[in-house]
Amino acid sequence: MADVKKPVVCVVGTGGTIASRYDAALGGHVSAATAQDLVAAMPEIQDVADIRVVEHSNINSALMSTGTAFALRDTLRAVLRDDDVTGVVVTHGTATLEETAYLMDLTVGGDKPVVFTGAQRNADEKDADGPRNLLCATMVAADPAARGRGVLVALGSEIHAARDVTKINPEILTCFGARDCGPVGSVTRQGVSFFMMPQRRLQLEVDQVKENVHIIRMGQGGNDLLFRACVSARVDGIVVEATGGGNVNLPFYQGVCAALDAGIPVVAALRLPSGAPHPGKGYPGSYQSLIAKGALSSGYLSGIKARILLMVALGHTAERSQLLEIFAEAGGG
């Protein structure tokens, strides 16, 4: 009997804890291992797929710039254009993985699987979780059922959608959760199982992103200092993480009004771990007053994801009507 041809999966390395080793001169761990090193640390991966390796970057993800993250879009497109490639695994630091993954979900396009993974333990630790996570992510990328589901995150045996995934703990191995739902699938040694199809996905064709977008979180008694700084600097956009169902105090409301009057797009989001903004209160600073003034609604997107969407959307259009449609489609609520 002829040998069954294995799928081809490309592992694209960007750095992170999964690639980190101790540096005595710096007194801590830094990204050092290459993607090829990571593949070599898990020989079983060769049983799943024929592996190709691309080195995109090698940095801890707190240091990931918007430019480096957006350039990954072109790296992935180049890899995915090869008809022989079944899917891609991206190794990434978990600190900002959810942001890069959503940026790729919005901009890469196509049906081939793109699966992000990382680790909570450094590559040089005896019980490092990176090799197993890489194996599981490769299993997902090689699985025909993963096609058409957008960018996925596979870590700690769970599979999450890029739009909803968020890091919930800096220590535990299952460090990611989903903001308003659960995992979309599971992966174990026995195989890959999907439970649901990711929803509210969209793809925007852009040549650039507007990266000067800032998040301002509402705290009790907060003032408009950061808004005034943003208006003075003529930033590209602002995301406000509001209290409760999307409400802010009077100084914050005045700050939002000043930004909108200056032509700066503002998105109303929540500082809560789940849910969407909703009307109900009637005072200046209420969610409905922000929307009436011209703010966009994040819907069920977190402030972090709303920032990524605004950065991409502004690279696509400056028309408020189109921005409203984009946020309604992606955020819901």
Side-chain angles (χ1 to χ4, degrees), residues 102 106 163 199-202 204 266-268 276-277 287 291 295-301 305-306 309-310 313 317 319-333:
Y102 190 45
L106 291 168
R163 175 190 177 277
Q199 300 296 315
R200 293 200 169 276
R201 294 187 54 243
L202 75 157
L204 297 172
V266 177
V267 179
Y287 168 69
I291 298 303
L296 305 166
S297 175
S298 70
Y300 284 93
L301 291 173
K305 298 296 177 64
L309 180 58
L310 185 58
T317 181
E319 293 294 327
R320 183 175 180 276
S321 60
Q322 294 181 44
L323 293 175
L324 281 169
E325 291 177 3
I326 288 170
F327 271 83
E329 182 177 354

Side-chain angles (χ1 to χ4, degrees), residues 138-156:
T138 302
M139 292 170 64
V140 177
D143 195 306
R147 289 184 66 96
R149 295 178 183 271
V151 175
L152 300 169
V153 175
L155 192 143

Side-chain angles (χ1 to χ4, degrees), residues 67-320:
T68 302
F70 186 57
L72 180 62
R73 188 273 304 261
D74 296 331
T75 298
L76 296 182
R77 283 185 171 182
V79 169
L80 294 167
R81 274 196 295 268
D82 188 332
D83 291 339
D84 291 336
V85 172
T86 302
V88 174
V89 171
V90 179
T91 59
H92 196 289
T94 58
T96 62
L97 183 152
E98 63 194 89
E99 290 156 89
T100 305
Y102 190 45
L103 179 60
M104 295 303 100
D105 195 47
L106 291 168
T107 61
V108 171
D111 289 334
K112 291 184 178 181
V114 175
V115 185
F116 277 68
T117 195
Q120 290 289 80
R121 295 171 179 159
N122 297 292
D124 58 359
E125 296 186 56
K126 291 182 179 179
D127 57 349
D129 55 324
R132 179 58 54 82
N133 286 338
L134 179 58
L135 174 64
C136 290
T138 302
M139 292 170 64
V140 177
D143 195 306
R147 289 184 66 96
R149 295 178 183 271
V151 175
L152 300 169
V153 175
L155 192 143
S157 296
E158 295 180 339
I159 306 170
H160 289 278
R163 175 190 177 277
D164 303 304
V165 71
T166 186
K167 188 168 183 178
I168 59 174
N169 191 290
E171 294 288 343
I172 62 174
L173 299 187
T174 52
C175 59
F176 284 101
R179 193 169 181 275
D180 286 287
C181 58
V184 300
S186 176
V187 54
T188 66
R189 283 185 175 272
Q190 285 67 50
V192 177
S193 299
F194 285 102
F195 312 142
M196 65 185 81
M197 182 68 75
Q199 300 296 315
R200 293 200 169 276
R201 294 187 54 243
L202 75 157
Q203 195 264 328
L204 297 172
E205 187 59 46
V206 294
D207 296 323
Q208 62 173 339
V209 296
K210 298 291 187 178
E211 61 182 275
N212 197 12
V213 174
H214 296 267
I215 297 176
I216 303 177
R217 172 173 263 208
M218 167 71 189
Q220 187 180 66
N223 60 37
D224 65 344
L225 173 63
L226 297 180
F227 291 96
R228 287 187 275 116
C230 286
V231 171
S232 177
R234 302 296 304 174
V235 301
D236 295 321
I238 298 171
V239 176
V240 179
E241 289 190 335
T243 66
N247 310 306
V248 298
N249 63 13
L250 187 57
F252 257 60
Y253 174 68
Q254 292 168 340
V256 170
C257 292
L260 290 169
D261 289 343
I264 299 172
V266 177
V267 179
L270 299 185
R271 69 180 194 181
L272 304 179
S274 62
H278 61 84
K281 304 295 189 291
Y283 51 81
S286 66
Y287 168 69
Q288 62 190 34
S289 74
L290 299 178
I291 298 303
K293 183 63 181 177
L296 305 166
S297 175
S298 70
Y300 284 93
L301 291 173
S302 68
I304 288 290
K305 298 296 177 64
R307 176 179 177 264
I308 295 295
L309 180 58
L310 185 58
M311 290 164 58
V312 175
L314 289 173
H316 178 74
T317 181
E319 293 294 327
R320 183 175 180 276

